Amino acid sequence: MSRLILSRRKLIGAGAAGAGSLLLSGCDKLFENPAFRQTLEGAENLHRVTQRALGRDALAAEFSAAEMSPVFRANGSREVADPGYRRHLAQGFAGWSLRVDGLVDRPTDLPLAAIKAFPQRTQITRHDCVEGWSAIGQWTGPRLGALLDLARLHPQARYVVFHCADLYLGRPYYESIDLVDAFHPQTILAWAMNGKPLEEAHGAPLRLRVERQLGYKHAKFVTRIEAVAALEGIHGGKGGYWEDNGAYAWYAGI
Ligand SMILES: Nc1nc2c(c(=O)[nH]1)N[C@H]1C(S)=C(S)[C@@H](COP(=O)(O)O)O[C@H]1N2
Ligand SMILES: [Mo]
């Protein structure tokens, strides 16, 4: 619980992005708070505002081991062609590291061993793909919030961008979430699935699990996490591969 409170403080410190959490703390003076009003007015769509009001800190359902899907389909990129990635894969990701940078005090490179040394969370959740299939699987990894705390976000940081090693249909895959989702207790960087290191098809060596959102937000093959104040400067500017390609919304809450 103390970590959650710490995260909330951080969010509040980060300004408008913390408004969702503040609302849930029952602060009814919020509508008089300019940062909060700005967040509401700047919200991309009503859906996002509604999700905030309904409680974006709420937990996604978790399941028992008996409920795990016997087959968990792989979707989108199942392989990565990049030669650097192929080399790391062949070496069991021994020399691989995750870059955490952007609007942070301490840009950091984290080898897999360091990622596994954080407190770990294991959760059995349902993955819902926008294409109409779901599967229940078990995921293990550190909370994204713990990595961001280590790197120390600047107060201007409002989004976290996930850069991936793959090209999907020839274009780099990437995704982004706001700080409410980034510090959600079930938002983890998973290196294990169903008790084993991630297979390539599922995003080895590290993929995002952001359990309150649809499947395409769960970036696989993550190589770099970048904290930013705005999404405009990143690739097509809409915050993700499918968002830029006109197909799906940036906020995909479920
Ligand atoms: N890097 C990357 N991440 C990705 C994709 C992708 O093509 N590339 N596809 C997304 C989609 S649409 C889904 S449904 C999930 C699929 O995850 P899975 O292969 O573990 O089932 O990954 C998401 N993350
Ligand atoms: Mo998907």
Side-chain angles (χ1 to χ4, degrees), residues 75-82 85 162-174 200 203 219-223 241:
N75 206 38
S77 295
R78 294 170 179 80
E79 288 173 356
V80 179
D82 176 69
Y85 178 90
F162 303 87
H163 297 280
C164 306
D166 62 314
L167 301 178
Y168 188 66
L169 305 176
R171 298 186 203 191
Y173 201 94
Y174 80 103
E200 180 178 5
K220 305 195 283 187
F221 321 109
V222 176
T223 56
Y241 178 96

Side-chain angles (χ1 to χ4, degrees), residues 72-77 127 133 164 166 173 202 207 215 218 220:
F72 197 117
R73 167 173 162 180
N75 206 38
S77 295
H127 179 97
W133 60 272
C164 306
D166 62 314
Y173 201 94
H202 291 292
R207 61 100 50 88
H218 299 230
K220 305 195 283 187

Side-chain angles (χ1 to χ4, degrees), residues 123 125 127 139 186-188 190 207-211 218:
Q123 57 203 32
T125 53
H127 179 97
W139 305 96
Q186 288 167 317
T187 298
I188 64 173
R207 61 100 50 88
L208 176 65
R209 292 299 309 171
V210 50
E211 305 292 357
H218 299 230

Side-chain angles (χ1 to χ4, degrees), residues 100-115:
V100 183
D101 63 9
L103 296 178
V104 298
D105 284 342
R106 295 192 291 194
T108 309
D109 291 293
L110 293 168
L112 263 191
I115 287 166

